[in-house]
DNA sequence: TATAATGTTTGAAC
DNA sequence: AGTTCAAACATTAT
């Protein structure tokens, strides 16, 4: 479920509840559920993969991790982690991590690192990359403080598109290539959003889960790369190792 | 049916 | 004190 664009879609789906009052709360979440009762949702927000429900003076942070899910105005056949009922409709969350954030969400997040946010600032990301020259780019792209919202799919697709080997050291990648990579991260994330919206995301994968390179027809190598050991799909012919 | 997968936090071990 | 690592959590498609 995760990756930033999916959270943007969730925000769109729950927009119908903006300004509405929570009239019932349920679920197996250990948070203080009574705190939410009769509270009005001020706004839905997000930072990377964090989904934020803002109330007066605090917010609820929901992280879907690997397997989390949700249903709007319906239930699925598994235990509800947290369910919010409104006068007209409901939101149900499953298998996610939930916690309260006190005060305004802006005090908790730097939105300029969120690749889906209007405030996204590639210059900040560039500076953060400069500070970690020894880090492999496959790890750097998954760093949420640098590229909030980027997950393993976006990582693989971006690296394939800009022809950079996942195991390249950040400090060795030429500046123009870094620029391209920053640009493509933003571009692909929004393509991801469009494609996901139309249920055709997988159709557009060029590298992720693929077996052959569509550019040179070589076999793609599947390898668990970097400190994070997430799988990468690599064309050793087309992707430059720096 | 076993396995792997769009992820992160925690706490022990080094 | 830093890092490294396994474990934990949890669901679903292949």
């Amino acid at each position: 479920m995760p990756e930033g664009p999916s959270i943007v879609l969730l925000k769109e789906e729950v927009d119908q509840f903006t300004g509405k009052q929570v009239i019932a709360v349920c679920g197996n979440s250990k948070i203080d559920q009574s705190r939410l009762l009769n509270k009005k949702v001020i706004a839905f927000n997000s930072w990377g993969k964090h989904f934020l429900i803002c109330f007066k003076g605090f917010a609820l942070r929901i992280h879907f991790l690997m397997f989390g899910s949700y249903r709007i105005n319906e239930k699925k056949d598994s235990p509800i982690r947290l369910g919010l009922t409104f006068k007209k409709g409901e939101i149900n969350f499953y298998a996610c991590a939930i916690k309260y954030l006190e005060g305004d969400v802006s005090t908790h997040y730097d939105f300029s690192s969120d690749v889906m946010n209007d405030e996204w600032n590639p210059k900040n990301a560039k500076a953060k990359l400069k500070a970690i020259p020894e880090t492999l780019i496959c790890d750097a792209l998954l760093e949420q403080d640098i590229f909030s919202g980027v997950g393993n799919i976006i990582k693989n697709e971006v690296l394939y598109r800009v022809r950079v080997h996942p195991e390249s050291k950040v400090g060795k990648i030429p500046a123009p290539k870094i620029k391209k990579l920053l640009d493509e991260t933003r571009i692909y994330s929004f393509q991801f959003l469009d494609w996901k919206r139309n249920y055709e995301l997988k159709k557009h994968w060029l590298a992720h889960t693929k077996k052959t390179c569509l550019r040179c027809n070589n076999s793609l190598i599947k390898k668990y790369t970097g400190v994070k050991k997430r799988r990468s799909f690599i064309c050793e012919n087309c992707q430059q190792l720096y």
Side-chain angles (χ1 to χ4, degrees), chain A residues 135-150:
Chain A
T135 302
L136 302 188
I137 191 63
C138 58
D139 285 328
L141 270 166
L142 294 172
E143 239 2 283
Q144 296 302 296
D145 287 334
I146 307 177
F147 299 100
S148 328
V150 169

Side-chain angles (χ1 to χ4, degrees), chain A residues 155-168 177 206-223 225 231-242:
Chain A
K155 177 200 85 178
N156 279 320
E157 289 298 304
V158 167
L159 289 173
Y160 182 78
R161 280 155 209 251
V162 301
R163 305 192 183 211
V164 172
H165 195 292
E167 292 174 305
S168 298
K177 203 59 152 175
L206 304 183
H208 195 255
T209 73
K210 298 296 178 182
K211 291 213 172 2
T212 50
C213 175
L214 54 86
R215 287 196 282 245
C216 73
N217 218 36
N218 275 12
S219 291
L220 294 185
I221 310 291
K222 174 181 154 185
K223 184 179 178 188
T225 58
R231 63 179 179 162
S232 291
F233 297 86
I234 311 161
C235 177
E236 301 200 301
N237 185 41
C238 296
Q239 288 169 277
Q240 177 71 36
L241 178 62
Y242 295 100

Side-chain angles (χ1 to χ4, degrees), chain A residues 53-106:
Chain A
I53 308 178
C54 303
F55 298 90
K56 189 178 175 188
F58 69 97
L60 205 53
R61 189 199 78 179
I62 298 179
H63 201 301
F64 293 94
L65 300 161
M66 195 78 102
F67 310 122
S69 62
Y70 63 88
R71 291 292 185 275
I72 311 293
N73 299 329
E74 61 181 30
K75 289 181 174 68
K76 63 181 231 177
D77 187 26
S78 54
I80 296 175
R81 176 61 44 78
L82 187 72
L84 301 179
T85 303
F86 301 87
K87 189 170 176 186
K88 201 174 167 187
E90 64 187 55
I91 315 174
N92 297 307
F93 298 104
Y94 304 86
C96 51
I98 304 177
K99 71 178 266 187
Y100 283 114
L101 299 180
E102 302 306 325
D104 194 282
V105 288
S106 64

Side-chain angles (χ1 to χ4, degrees), chain A residues 14-195:
Chain A
V14 296
D15 189 50
Q16 57 186 298
F17 301 114
T18 300
K20 306 299 183 192
Q21 190 179 32
V22 175
I23 60 169
V25 188
C26 66
N28 59 20
S29 172
K30 282 183 251 171
I31 62 157
D32 173 13
Q33 297 184 17
S34 65
R35 188 179 185 187
L36 298 166
L37 198 58
N38 302 322
K39 294 288 197 315
K40 200 164 79 177
V41 173
I42 294 173
F44 294 102
N45 213 326
S46 66
W47 178 83
K49 301 165 189 171
H50 296 203
F51 176 58
L52 306 167
I53 308 178
C54 303
F55 298 90
K56 189 178 175 188
F58 69 97
L60 205 53
R61 189 199 78 179
I62 298 179
H63 201 301
F64 293 94
L65 300 161
M66 195 78 102
F67 310 122
S69 62
Y70 63 88
R71 291 292 185 275
I72 311 293
N73 299 329
E74 61 181 30
K75 289 181 174 68
K76 63 181 231 177
D77 187 26
S78 54
I80 296 175
R81 176 61 44 78
L82 187 72
L84 301 179
T85 303
F86 301 87
K87 189 170 176 186
K88 201 174 167 187
E90 64 187 55
I91 315 174
N92 297 307
F93 298 104
Y94 304 86
C96 51
I98 304 177
K99 71 178 266 187
Y100 283 114
L101 299 180
E102 302 306 325
D104 194 282
V105 288
S106 64
T107 64
H108 291 89
Y109 297 107
D110 172 8
F111 289 98
S112 77
S113 64
D114 182 349
V115 298
M116 300 304 293
N117 199 290
D118 289 343
E119 291 182 36
W120 160 248
N121 187 340
K123 285 184 181 155
N124 291 354
K126 190 180 166 188
K128 289 173 192 169
L129 290 178
K130 208 155 215 171
I132 52 166
E134 294 300 308
T135 302
L136 302 188
I137 191 63
C138 58
D139 285 328
L141 270 166
L142 294 172
E143 239 2 283
Q144 296 302 296
D145 287 334
I146 307 177
F147 299 100
S148 328
V150 169
N152 207 37
I153 296 172
I154 296 176
K155 177 200 85 178
N156 279 320
E157 289 298 304
V158 167
L159 289 173
Y160 182 78
R161 280 155 209 251
V162 301
R163 305 192 183 211
V164 172
H165 195 292
E167 292 174 305
S168 298
K169 281 190 179 181
V170 166
K172 287 178 147 183
I173 302 172
K177 203 59 152 175
I178 292 284
K179 161 119 180 57
K180 227 175 179 181
L181 194 140
L182 293 168
D183 289 346
E184 188 60 33
T185 301
R186 171 91 170 170
I187 291 165
Y188 177 71
S189 294
F190 277 88
Q191 287 186 327
F192 184 125
L193 174 64
D194 276 344
W195 289 329

